[in-house]
């Protein structure tokens, strides 16, 4: 029987949940403090990553940990003052990255990733979203034979076990594919399945428009105002109090601010990331996203220009931006590709919502009737939004989900 539902959070995950529920006939109100897609979904590599069947593990090699500990790299940066609060979740993250534990986690993770293209296309087909989806894949480049050989072996395992497709490229093939690169690289892996999105924010907005056209409603509101209202729930919005029988928490890195008062405080943590767009000089081109393994940044062609993205910054959720990684990456990126002027006056910053076991939290919130969780997707909320939306909608309707939800259940924390 259709019910009234408030979905808190209008990023890719929240919009996808809301759209699936509305298409099933539920009365759905989508609530956020800003417009859809303006949170973490706004700033990413713009990739729907069908190849990403392995989540990002915590480094296990001592030399790698020491390199990151020096706090001078492009791929990782941390605020000293944030470390005490991050110690417990990061220690659990390290523990779960032990090879045997990680293998079990990756198996559950891959089951989500394997669905991502079908679920996105189910939303986008025959809509204005389709021109945003470019089936061009992306290239990861390597500077030496050793690292390239190791990556190639892992890629071949991904193809055998999860149907991930790729093309191995030598240095000449890289030059042919991306003639504007200024530095040679030993080789690369062209992941051919992923879809590159020319404007991630526009894709979320397109899905949000499908939701509105289906009869859903969006309103600016304060998710932390959530309280019980009889057998249901109430939240304060710009249109006044809104009530519903069910509520979905899809607030990414800020979900705990709503779930903790309800008795559920999982050990999640945020990885902050930055991006900035640049023009290209002269007739230079970038045909597809490229990630330089040696420098650990991604360059992606977007509507706004070439987007330079950074790795992970560990800091407090409310601390002001400190885009030191972007400052480190920019001169290296300029030596790799003829970048021109920056498009924006200041870099963008967002927060990826992470869990210690690298798996999202999807399902009923423990100890509360009518509250559901859909957060903790780390680097892949943009990729997995439609998959999560379908799975959670099926659970809320009492159906057997198309993916076994057991590995992602909130009760594991």
């Amino acid at each position: 029987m259709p019910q009234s539902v408030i979905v808190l959070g209008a990023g890719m995950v929240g919009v996808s949940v809301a759209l699936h529920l509305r298409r099933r006939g539920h009365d759905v109100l989508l609530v956020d403090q800003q417009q859809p897609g303006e949170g973490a979904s706004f700033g990413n590599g713009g990739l729907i990553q069908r190849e990403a069947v392995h989540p990002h593990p915590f480094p296990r090699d001592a030399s790698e940990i020491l390199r990151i500990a020096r706090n001078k790299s492009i791929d990782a940066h941390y605020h000293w003052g944030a470390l005490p609060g991050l110690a417990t979740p990061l220690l659990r993250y390290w523990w779960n990255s032990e090879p045997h534990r990680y293998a079990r986690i990756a198996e559950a993770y891959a089951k989500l990733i394997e669905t991502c293209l079908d679920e996105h296309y189910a939303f986008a087909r025959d809509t204005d979203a389709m021109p945003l989806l470019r089936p061009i894949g992306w290239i990861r480049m390597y500077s030496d034979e050793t690292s390239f050989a190791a990556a190639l072996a892992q890629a071949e395992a991904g193809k055998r076990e999860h149907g991930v497709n790729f093309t191995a490229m030598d240095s000449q093939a890289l030059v042919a594919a991306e003639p504007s690169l200024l530095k040679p690289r030993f080789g690369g892996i062209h992941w051919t399945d992923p879809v590159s999105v020319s404007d991630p924010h526009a894709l979320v907005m397109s899905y949000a428009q499908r939701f509105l056209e289906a009869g859903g409603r969006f309103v600016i509101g304060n998710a932390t105002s959530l309280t019980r209202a009889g057998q249901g729930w109430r939240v304060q919005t710009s249109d006044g109090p809104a009530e519903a029988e069910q509520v979905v928490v899809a607030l990414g890195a800020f979900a705990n601010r709503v779930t903790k008062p309800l008795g559920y405080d999982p050990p999640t943590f945020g990885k902050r990331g930055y991006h900035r767009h640049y023009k290209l000089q002269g007739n230079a081109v970038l045909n597809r996203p490229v990630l330089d393994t040696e420098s650990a940044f991604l360059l992606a062609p977007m509507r706004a220009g070439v987007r330079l993205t950074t790795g992970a910054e560990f800091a407090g959720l409310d601390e002001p931006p400190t885009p030191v990684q972007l400052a480190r990456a920019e001169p290296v990126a300029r030596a790799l590709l003829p970048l021109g002027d920056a498009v924006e006056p200041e870099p963008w910053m967002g927060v990826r919502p992470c869990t210690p076991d690298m798996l999202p939290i999807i399902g009923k919130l423990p100890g509360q009737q009518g509250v559901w969780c859909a957060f903790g997707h780390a680097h892949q909320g943009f990729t997995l939004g439609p998959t999560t939306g379908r799975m959670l909608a099926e659970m809320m309707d009492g159906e057997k989900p198309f993916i076994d939800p057991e590995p992602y259940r909130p009760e594991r924390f």
Side-chain angles (χ1 to χ4, degrees), residues 3 95 107 232 246 266 274 357 380 389:
Q3 293 186 307
W95 188 83
E107 183 179 354
Q246 308 266 346
Y274 299 82
D357 64 0
Q380 300 301 346

Side-chain angles (χ1 to χ4, degrees), residues 41-389:
S41 297
F42 185 92
N44 50 69
L47 293 169
I48 300 172
Q49 289 191 255
R50 172 60 180 85
E51 93 295 344
V53 291
H54 297 105
H56 292 275
F58 196 99
R60 303 288 296 183
D61 182 77
S63 63
E64 180 71 358
I65 293 175
L66 181 60
R67 180 186 68 83
I68 293 172
R70 293 191 181 102
N71 213 19
K72 296 181 179 181
S73 67
I74 294 173
D75 57 331
H77 176 68
Y78 58 87
H79 291 193
W80 284 100
L83 293 184
L86 291 168
T88 297
L90 288 181
L91 183 60
R92 293 178 67 171
Y93 183 15
W94 173 84
W95 188 83
N96 281 311
S97 298
E98 183 274 329
H100 289 93
R101 299 185 191 97
Y102 177 80
R104 293 193 297 271
I105 288 168
E107 183 179 354
Y109 193 82
K111 286 181 170 57
L112 296 172
I113 292 291
E114 288 169 1
T115 71
C116 67
L117 294 180
D118 288 342
E119 296 308 312
H120 268 278
Y121 279 121
F123 277 175
R125 195 171 288 111
D126 299 324
T127 76
D128 60 356
M130 281 301 292
L132 300 169
L133 306 182
R134 303 172 297 184
I136 57 177
W138 65 282
I139 296 174
R140 185 161 192 148
M141 302 185 298
Y142 299 86
S143 298
D144 59 83
E145 183 177 5
T146 301
S147 61
F148 179 61
L152 195 57
Q154 187 177 35
E156 289 168 346
K159 183 175 180 64
R160 287 194 308 271
E161 298 166 10
H162 303 292
V164 174
N165 295 302
F166 68 93
T167 299
M169 310 175 76
D170 60 18
S171 58
Q172 292 181 330
L174 279 175
V175 172
E178 298 296 342
S180 297
L181 291 175
L182 300 174
K183 279 190 172 183
R185 289 293 183 256
F186 180 85
I189 294 176
H190 180 195
W191 300 104
T192 55
D193 291 327
V195 168
S196 174
V197 179
S198 60
D199 188 335
H201 179 229
L203 187 65
V204 179
M205 290 293 289
S206 178
Y207 293 172
Q209 184 61 32
R210 304 290 84 72
F211 166 69
L212 297 176
E213 291 171 353
R217 294 169 294 136
F218 170 78
V219 67
I220 298 292
N222 178 13
T224 60
S225 68
L226 183 69
T227 57
R228 269 286 182 192
Q231 297 299 310
W233 297 90
R234 177 186 296 121
V235 67
Q236 299 299 321
T237 79
S238 58
D239 291 344
E243 296 185 5
E245 298 163 276
Q246 308 266 346
V247 64
V248 177
V249 181
L251 293 164
F254 301 92
N256 288 46
R257 295 183 177 179
V258 170
T259 66
K260 186 176 181 179
L262 302 179
Y264 182 61
D265 188 21
T268 56
F269 60 98
K271 290 182 184 177
R272 305 205 307 186
Y274 299 82
H275 83 233
R276 201 173 192 182
H277 294 99
Y278 298 83
K279 299 176 183 178
L280 283 172
Q281 298 180 23
N283 295 322
V285 296
L286 182 64
N287 294 316
R288 60 188 57 77
V290 296
L291 190 148
D292 187 41
T293 301
E294 179 180 300
S295 307
F297 57 72
L298 179 78
L299 291 163
M302 299 275 183
R303 279 179 171 176
V306 172
R307 179 177 289 188
L308 172 61
T309 73
T310 66
E313 181 182 62
F314 298 90
L317 291 180
D318 297 318
E319 293 184 29
T322 52
V324 295
Q325 291 165 287
L326 203 58
R328 294 168 184 166
E330 183 178 324
V332 183
R334 289 186 179 279
L336 185 66
L337 194 70
L339 298 178
D341 294 335
V343 174
E344 307 96 344
E346 298 293 335
W348 175 91
M349 185 199 79
V351 188
R352 307 177 186 98
C354 303
T355 65
D357 64 0
M358 294 158 274
L359 296 174
I361 298 173
I362 305 170
K364 287 184 178 180
L365 187 143
Q368 296 286 350
Q369 183 66 31
V371 185
W372 301 81
C373 301
F375 56 88
H377 293 76
H379 297 258
Q380 300 301 346
F382 190 74
T383 292
L384 294 176
T387 293
T388 299

